[in-house]
Amino acid sequence: MDFQTAVEIVTADQNENDWGEEGPMSQHEAVEHVRNTMSLDEVVDYGDENTEAYRLILSTTTRTG
């Protein structure tokens, strides 16, 4: 999986949550939110592409636009 695909998966997953009046997160906001609220050790391994995407996002320092 490439980084952009991971960003898209994490953004979609984060936007499934109800953020109230805030509306959906941008890709940059979703990635920063994940990086600020969890660590790589906290990723639960469900053996799916979401697990892989979260691990990739949390293990890199690449910035999103």
Side-chain angles (χ1 to χ4, degrees):
M1 169 181 308
D2 65 20
F3 185 77
Q4 184 56 41
T5 301
V7 168
E8 291 167 7
I9 291 169
V10 167
T11 301
D13 188 54
Q14 288 297 304
N15 282 328
E16 287 182 6
N17 297 318
D18 181 12
W19 297 106
E21 295 179 19
E22 301 238 354
M25 291 185 189
S26 69
Q27 290 182 346
H28 176 77
E29 291 169 329
V31 168
E32 291 305 309
H33 174 74
V34 167
R35 287 179 173 164
N36 289 324
T37 59
M38 67 188 305
S39 70
L40 186 56
D41 294 336
E42 295 173 315
V43 176
V44 177
D45 188 352
Y46 293 110
D48 62 3
E49 68 179 3
N50 280 23
T51 301
E52 185 180 349
Y54 276 87
R55 285 183 174 156
L56 182 57
I57 293 297
L58 291 168
S59 67
T60 61
T61 57
T62 303
R63 293 298 198 203
T64 58

